[in-house]
Amino acid sequence: MRVAMIGSGYVGLVSGACFADFGHVVTCVDKDPAKIEALTRGDIPIFEPGLDDLVATNVKEGRLSFATDLTEAVRSADAVFIAVGTPSRRGDGHADLSYVYQAARDIAKVMDGYTVIVTKSTVPVGTGDEVERIVRETRPDADFAVVSNPEFLREGAAIADFKRPDRIVIGTDDERARRVMAEVYRPLYLNQAPILYTGRRTAELTKYAANAFLATKITFINEIADLCEKVGANVQEVARGIGLDNRIGGKFLHAGPGYGGSCFPKDTLALIKTAQDAGSPMRIVETVAAVNDQRKRAMARKVIAACGGSVRGKTVAVLGLTFKPNTDDMREAPALSIITALQDGGAKIRAYDPEGMEQAQSLLEHVTYCDNAYDCVEGADALVIVTEWNAFRALDLDRVKGQMKAPVVVDLRNIYRADEMARRGFLYVSVGRPDGAADADGLM
Ligand SMILES: NC(=O)c1ccc[n+]([C@@H]2O[C@H](COP(=O)([O-])OP(=O)(O)OC[C@H]3O[C@@H](n4cnc5c(N)ncnc54)[C@H](O)[C@@H]3O)[C@@H](O)[C@H]2O)c1
């Protein structure tokens, strides 16, 4: 099959490289010339484990190429995927669909013969109808179908998720399009990935329902963590106690500083707007978004309390900036709100992240970026662990303590044991666990 991927960001590039790896001939298109130049040179513009090798192999095999102009790729394609961004629209929280609609117009102008246009971007219910209308308006003569095929990959594990997905959702009523999609994904259902064929609107809504549900799970355990702190219970043990119930499941039950990233915050907001517009408000999701929003600054207050009530003139070391480990993505990362709130309180910030510092620099001001974790804690009055990169899980704690001005550690990911930290002489605060209490090994 010949595939054109419009948009070569986290989703487009991973999907394109994986499709090429299945044996399809793929062109990844992006309107950002710097991105395409980098890819053509062999440089990967994002950090995603394993992506550099996957791209290099498939370019070498002649199955993967890059372009800024979509004409050639679209003309020869059996399926044209739209994988452009759908950020929150400034002001009202609706998904900004201008990139999707522009891509639809661009595709319509050049497509040739029967073409399946597939929306992989996360888009509100009814977007497929509008894409169809735009294409029909631009090219009344065109022979095409518009399919919804939402993507469920996670940054940091994107290649494994794409190649071994829990499910593939394909929304279309067009029998020809369905056959094309079956062929595109054939290598995957040989691996027995379940394919769900649904109507287009159902597929569109399924993506939002999945993300809103996961965001709700995280927010639920975060509120349980707050309650644990008040009543002297341990949230990790509660999470394990409920997560072993198959009806609940153990994933997404890690208490922390609140969800962030390029998807959950914007997708919950967009679903809230869709539901309000449809006259069927989702009050649970509205509450989840509001609770999560407040949580990030609440984490800064936790740090301030650990520092004795004020951080004015103090130095706070922050380890981990990205919204989760194994990505360089800083979009809506909790670290952004936490650092800003600490700066508002008068703190000086030193920070280190293995991959996120380049993106962070354009989003945060007056931060001293460091070369490694030990450099970061030098002279600090407190250390805050915001993102649980593996490199932070087994720090030389005596060295850390020796370099800090005061031995205060606020661990927002619960990666250390409270009893161990107390024994080593730290004032240690974590999330939803009794300070200094013995934690059982091997939890979650
Ligand atoms: N990042 C994730 O983990 C993830 C997971 C599942 C779904 N999604 C969804 O996938 C979509 C893309 O997300 P992303 O994180 O890959 O975004 P991204 O910002 O990393 O990439 C989007 C790319 O599209 C390009 N682009 C925009 N308009 C274009 C046009 N008309 N022609 C060519 N290129 C164009 C941009 O230059 C950019 O490189 C979003 O709707 C997102 O919600 C993302």
Side-chain angles (χ1 to χ4, degrees):
M1 302 292 277
R2 299 190 79 92
V3 171
M5 188 66 67
I6 313 302
S8 306
Y10 289 87
V11 166
L13 188 55
V14 169
S15 309
C18 288
F19 279 141
D21 211 46
F22 296 159
H24 301 317
V25 177
V26 181
T27 307
C28 283
V29 178
D30 204 288
K31 64 172 188 187
D32 178 352
K35 216 169 240 188
I36 295 302
E37 267 165 40
L39 285 164
T40 311
R41 270 199 317 270
D43 294 338
I44 306 296
I46 55 169
F47 175 74
E48 179 60 45
L51 189 57
D52 44 1
D53 285 347
L54 193 73
V55 168
T57 310
N58 285 283
V59 168
K60 195 159 147 256
E61 301 281 334
R63 291 190 298 259
L64 181 62
S65 58
F66 307 102
T68 45
D69 184 83
L70 78 180
T71 310
E72 221 174 293
V74 168
R75 283 217 171 118
S76 60
D78 300 290
V80 181
F81 285 79
I82 299 178
V84 301
T86 49
S88 280
R89 196 161 67 186
R90 241 170 244 270
D92 66 4
H94 267 290
D96 177 353
L97 295 172
S98 55
Y99 303 102
V100 172
Y101 295 154
Q102 188 55 49
R105 258 176 240 116
D106 295 346
I107 294 164
K109 280 183 205 142
V110 299
M111 62 199 233
D112 191 20
Y114 179 67
T115 307
V116 178
I117 300 170
V118 190
T119 314
K120 197 161 247 328
S121 299
T122 302
V123 294
V125 176
T127 303
D129 304 3
E130 183 60 14
V131 168
E132 193 171 314
R133 197 194 60 74
I134 289 170
V135 175
R136 174 93 42 229
E137 183 183 83
T138 315
R139 278 284 295 281
D141 60 315
D143 188 15
F144 69 100
V146 176
V147 174
S148 165
N149 170 221
E151 182 51 56
F152 297 96
L153 63 76
R154 292 164 301 171
E155 286 173 22
I159 294 169
D161 283 352
F162 195 89
K163 289 191 164 181
R164 281 180 294 283
D166 290 337
R167 77 310 205 180
I168 298 154
V169 176
I170 295 174
T172 180
D173 296 325
D174 184 298
E175 194 43 48
R176 263 197 304 175
R178 196 174 150 144
R179 282 201 297 275
V180 169
M181 293 304 286
E183 197 52 31
V184 167
Y185 279 108
R186 194 170 51 84
L188 275 184
Y189 64 70
L190 293 177
N191 291 349
Q192 306 207 314
I195 299 198
L196 261 68
Y197 290 101
T198 68
R200 195 164 61 200
R201 286 179 167 243
T202 302
E204 290 169 338
L205 186 56
T206 302
K207 172 66 190 176
Y208 282 99
N211 275 0
F213 191 86
L214 294 172
T216 302
K217 228 177 149 183
I218 293 172
T219 305
F220 178 84
I221 203 67
N222 282 340
E223 286 204 314
I224 292 286
D226 290 349
L227 182 58
C228 283
E229 287 177 16
K230 297 278 188 233
V231 300
N234 182 324
V235 73
Q236 278 180 307
E237 292 174 7
V238 173
R240 185 153 164 84
I242 62 173
L244 285 170
D245 184 329
N246 285 333
R247 293 169 303 178
I248 296 174
K251 303 258 176 74
F252 283 75
L253 287 181
H254 300 281
Y259 62 77
S262 65
C263 292
F264 288 1
K266 79 171 174 64
D267 292 348
T268 43
L269 284 186
L271 179 62
I272 289 166
K273 288 292 167 190
T274 299
Q276 285 169 354
D277 287 355
S280 180
M282 299 207 52
R283 295 210 302 275
I284 290 176
V285 184
E286 287 173 9
T287 304
V288 164
V291 169
N292 192 68
D293 225 32
Q294 288 159 19
R295 185 166 187 82
K296 297 176 187 173
R297 279 186 85 89
M299 293 299 109
R301 289 197 293 277
K302 202 176 177 76
V303 177
I304 293 168
C307 290
S310 170
V311 287
R312 187 149 304 281
K314 292 187 177 165
T315 299
V316 178
V318 175
L319 285 184
L321 296 169
T322 51
F323 79 99
K324 66 174 174 182
N326 293 322
T327 181
D328 58 347
D329 200 340
M330 282 297 301
R331 288 178 282 187
E332 302 289 329
L336 296 172
S337 315
I338 295 170
I339 287 174
T340 307
L342 290 172
Q343 288 175 328
D344 290 348
K348 293 194 278 286
I349 304 291
R350 295 172 69 77
Y352 171 68
D353 186 284
E355 296 291 341
M357 293 196 289
E358 202 181 313
Q359 284 196 22
Q361 272 163 23
S362 60
L363 300 166
L364 288 165
E365 287 187 338
H366 311 302
V367 169
T368 305
Y369 293 97
C370 303
D371 292 336
N372 56 55
Y374 300 105
D375 177 23
C376 183
V377 299
E378 185 66 49
D381 296 277
L383 160 63
V384 189
I385 300 171
V386 179
T387 314
E388 70 281 28
W389 285 87
N390 275 341
F392 306 151
R393 286 179 183 272
L395 292 170
D396 177 343
L397 293 170
D398 292 335
R399 186 172 165 197
V400 167
K401 188 162 168 243
Q403 283 176 225
M404 292 179 73
K405 198 156 140 205
V408 176
V409 173
V410 182
D411 175 2
L412 299 179
R413 299 290 181 170
N414 291 348
I415 59 178
Y416 285 97
R417 291 170 54 127
D419 57 343
E420 165 88 1
M421 296 300 278
R423 195 174 58 72
R424 286 176 185 268
F426 285 100
L427 191 161
Y428 176 77
V429 177
S430 58
V431 178
R433 302 188 304 182
D435 297 337
D439 303 318
D441 266 330
L443 283 173
M444 300 304 290

